[in-house]
Amino acid sequence: MAVSVAELRRRGYSDDDIRLAQTVQDANRRAGAPARTLAEVLAGQAARPRTSAPVEDLTARQLRRRGSYGQAALLADQAALAEKDPDRAEKARYHASGLKALAERPVQLEFDFFGGGNVSLGHQYIDAVQARLMATKATPAERNAALATLLLITRHLGWQDYNCTKTAADLAEMQGADKGDMARTLALLEQTGAISRVKRGRTKIITVTPEGAFRGDVNRHAEAVNRYKGEVVPLRPVPAE
């Protein structure tokens, strides 16, 4: 039977002692340890045996659907409920949480976001390109074609590189566009500073500044930016704002 705070004061416990006992009681609840009354905490007594909630009863099929990590998480949770030591109960719940995270698989609807290296795009880069396109004399159709082409260029960036793996002819074929139209689209993108083209032999390599678009290990991003500044920036004129 729980003892009221007034009764605890009558027994000689100070308000500070009672507040400290309440803090301990809350910590025990958060850790999943067996609950103790304020009187038990103040007296330094262990929790009395109490009727606990029934352990979740799952069929073998339900357990299989949880997977190995899910079953391990369930066992760790149940062990935490039965644990009398608050520290051990807290550790058990911590590890159960990690096991639950391992058991959860990303749900794909139609497209696999995690299947392959994705390109990181900076919002400022896209905003700047769009604003500069709007400031040109290009028609809406030409601006839309430029943005669509820029999407394909960033899609086909090399790994940890700023070079597009597709040539102008490849991009034209992918979009079902005329090579002449593609040449004008790339010139418009270069005019706005969205891309740069570097001639290597008889081929013009399309490059994108890794400050705005980058595909690769983020820990190597600074290296790619420095390489771009050394190899590409000196070769191209600064676009007019």
Side-chain angles (χ1 to χ4, degrees), residues 34 42 51 62 74 78 107 143 155 159 176-177 206 212 215 222 235:
L42 289 166
T51 304
Q62 287 173 320
L74 178 62
Q78 291 176 341
V107 178
R143 294 196 298 268
R155 159 64 182 87
W159 179 253
I206 301 169
R215 177 172 179 261
L235 303 178

Side-chain angles (χ1 to χ4, degrees), residues 28-174:
N28 287 345
R29 288 197 189 101
R30 286 195 299 270
R36 291 192 293 169
T37 65
L38 290 177
E40 289 172 339
V41 173
L42 289 166
Q45 298 173 349
R48 298 193 314 275
R50 294 176 175 83
T51 304
S52 58
V55 175
E56 186 176 0
D57 187 16
L58 299 177
T59 65
R61 181 170 179 271
Q62 287 173 320
L63 284 173
R64 283 196 303 271
R65 290 182 64 183
R66 285 174 174 258
S68 299
Y69 288 119
Q71 293 180 46
L74 178 62
L75 289 173
D77 267 334
Q78 291 176 341
L81 289 173
E83 183 60 60
K84 294 183 178 180
D85 185 339
D87 291 334
R88 288 173 60 86
E90 184 177 6
K91 290 178 181 178
R93 288 190 179 280
Y94 171 79
H95 291 297
S97 177
L99 290 166
K100 286 176 185 176
L102 288 173
E104 295 174 357
R105 296 182 177 88
V107 178
Q108 301 296 331
L109 299 178
E110 182 179 0
F111 308 109
D112 185 2
F113 181 81
F114 300 98
N118 290 286
V119 177
S120 299
L121 281 173
H123 290 174
Q124 291 179 329
Y125 171 68
I126 297 299
D127 292 344
V129 171
Q130 190 171 19
R132 291 174 184 178
L133 284 172
M134 290 295 294
T136 67
K137 296 180 180 179
T139 65
E142 290 170 336
R143 294 196 298 268
N144 289 338
L147 286 174
T149 302
L150 183 59
L151 175 64
L152 279 181
I153 291 171
T154 55
R155 159 64 182 87
H156 292 285
L157 290 178
W159 179 253
Q160 293 186 358
D161 204 355
Y162 44 76
N163 294 329
C164 178
T165 59
K166 303 297 180 183
T167 64
D170 295 330
L171 295 172
E173 183 179 354
M174 292 169 70

